[in-house]
Amino acid sequence: MRKFILVILGIVILLIQQPSNVLSKDRFDFEKAGDAIWEGETDEKIVALTFDDGPHPDYTPEILDILEQYNMKGTFYVMGAHARKYPGLVFRAFLEGHEIGNHTFTHNGSITYLNDELTKTNEIIEKITGKYPATFRPVGGNYNETVISIAKKKGQKVAMWAWDQDTRDWDDVDSKTIANQVIGNLSPGDIILFHDAGGDRTPTIEALPIILRFFKEEGYEGITVTDMIERTSER
């Protein structure tokens, strides 16, 4: 009898817990609500090139030069501390038609400090460019309902990247590996993850011309994340 009661209690507990699991949000819920984006849903040959962790006094200017050479636009997810240190680089990127996004102030992704991290960086970006950043990229791509809610309250969409377009340039890979990753997985609407700081970004700089030449040959246009959001169809 006792065993039977325990079984019944177990079933009741499962039934009580089930609605919470069913109602929990996933990527597709956030995309449908328009609160986050991983990639654009489109047949148009457009991609969004994104660069995290900068600006960097050496790497960022080289990347900007390459983007200008190939007439491609990108989105730079800057850290507030770096933006405050190198405002001229942020302003240059902005003047050249690139988007400036928020990537926290100190690369601290803790929920406890996220509100302050976003606020400080938003203020710095707006002071430099005169424009409030429209998008936010979480540290390490770590997101949940709380992260997205905090960004949403600040009027910002969370910008991730296509699951097969993490170049892993943060993982000490060579330029050939980076280029092959992007070219081998290329699809219309891709949001592609690069870095312009946080380590040796020489391989990224060496890979970019290879990638962008391929884009040109295939008729792809490099646009900002906000442009991707505006130009792609609703899910």
Side-chain angles (χ1 to χ4, degrees), residues 45-49 186-187 189-190 192 215 220-223 228:
K45 287 187 173 182
I46 51 177
V47 293
L49 308 166
L186 184 62
S187 299
D190 276 348
I192 305 169
F215 286 174
Y220 273 83
E221 180 186 0
I223 65 175
M228 180 68 75

Side-chain angles (χ1 to χ4, degrees), residues 30-68:
F30 296 127
E31 286 180 311
K32 186 175 181 180
D35 297 330
I37 183 172
W38 275 256
E39 57 196 339
E41 187 174 295
T42 181
D43 294 324
E44 189 179 359
K45 287 187 173 182
I46 51 177
V47 293
L49 308 166
T50 67
F51 303 88
D52 288 11
D53 298 351
H56 187 279
D58 298 322
Y59 303 128
T60 305
E62 289 194 63
I63 289 171
L64 287 170
D65 288 344
I66 295 169
L67 293 174
E68 183 178 19

Side-chain angles (χ1 to χ4, degrees), residues 34-203:
D35 297 330
I37 183 172
W38 275 256
E39 57 196 339
E41 187 174 295
T42 181
D43 294 324
E44 189 179 359
K45 287 187 173 182
I46 51 177
V47 293
L49 308 166
T50 67
F51 303 88
D52 288 11
D53 298 351
H56 187 279
D58 298 322
Y59 303 128
T60 305
E62 289 194 63
I63 289 171
L64 287 170
D65 288 344
I66 295 169
L67 293 174
E68 183 178 19
Q69 179 184 349
Y70 289 90
N71 193 28
M72 298 280 179
K73 301 306 179 187
T75 301
F76 289 82
Y77 284 102
V78 303
M79 290 169 51
H82 291 171
R84 186 170 63 183
K85 190 173 182 180
Y86 305 110
L89 288 176
V90 176
F91 191 58
R92 176 190 165 182
F94 175 74
L95 282 182
E96 293 180 2
H98 306 292
E99 179 177 2
I100 309 300
N102 191 324
H103 193 45
T104 73
F105 184 76
T106 60
H107 214 249
N108 184 345
S110 169
I111 294 294
T112 304
Y113 305 106
L114 184 58
N115 186 72
D116 289 341
E117 290 265 326
L118 288 182
T119 297
K120 289 170 71 174
T121 302
N122 286 337
E123 290 173 352
I124 290 167
I125 293 172
E126 189 169 23
K127 183 176 181 180
I128 295 170
T129 67
K131 187 174 182 178
Y132 187 84
T135 58
F136 159 64
R137 172 161 287 165
V139 174
N142 295 317
Y143 74 95
N144 56 30
E145 194 165 356
T146 302
V147 169
I148 290 177
S149 176
I150 291 172
K152 186 176 181 180
K153 287 177 181 177
K154 296 189 176 298
Q156 293 171 302
K157 187 185 294 284
V158 170
M160 305 294 283
W161 56 86
W163 69 270
D164 57 352
Q165 285 294 4
D166 178 354
T167 63
R168 299 188 67 84
D169 61 349
W170 47 268
D171 196 24
D172 196 28
V173 296
D174 60 23
S175 58
K176 184 178 180 180
T177 300
I178 294 170
N180 287 343
Q181 172 66 26
V182 175
I183 292 170
N185 295 293
L186 184 62
S187 299
D190 276 348
I191 296 177
I192 305 169
L193 173 66
F194 298 97
H195 293 78
D196 62 329
D200 181 9
R201 298 301 168 229
T202 303

